[in-house]
């Protein structure tokens, strides 16, 4: 994946595939960020791309945890 395209792939309707809808990564990022996390991508431009997500351990919305 071209490293210059990395941040754009998280936008809705942006796809690197000829017949892609471009919604998958936008939805994934929205879900991860909705839980207080981060979804990032990196690429060296030669061997593909690496996508990583980080989620917090604790609740960010103050909701009670199930027992």
């Amino acid at each position: 994946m071209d490293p210059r395209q990395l941040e754009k792939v998280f936008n809705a309707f942006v796809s690197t595939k000829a017949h892609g809808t471009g919604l998958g990564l936008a939805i994934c990022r929205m879900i991860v960020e909705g839980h207080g996390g981060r979804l990032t991508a990196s690429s060296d431009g030669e061997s593909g791309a690496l996508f990583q997500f980080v989620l917090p351990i604790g609740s960010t919305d103050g909701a009670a945890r199930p027992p």
Side-chain angles (χ1 to χ4, degrees):
M1 177 178 282
D2 184 344
R4 295 173 294 187
Q5 293 181 325
L6 288 177
E7 196 56 35
K8 292 179 186 177
V9 298
F10 292 108
N11 295 338
F13 306 112
V14 172
S15 180
T16 59
K17 298 178 183 178
H19 300 290
T21 61
L23 290 176
L25 288 173
I27 291 170
C28 290
R29 182 175 257 185
M30 181 181 67
I31 292 169
V32 170
E33 288 178 350
H35 289 281
R38 286 181 309 153
L39 175 61
T40 59
S42 60
S43 174
D44 63 6
E46 296 177 16
S47 58
L50 173 68
F51 293 87
Q52 296 179 303
F53 69 94
V54 177
L55 295 172
I57 292 175
S59 174
T60 60
D61 62 359
R65 290 174 135 175

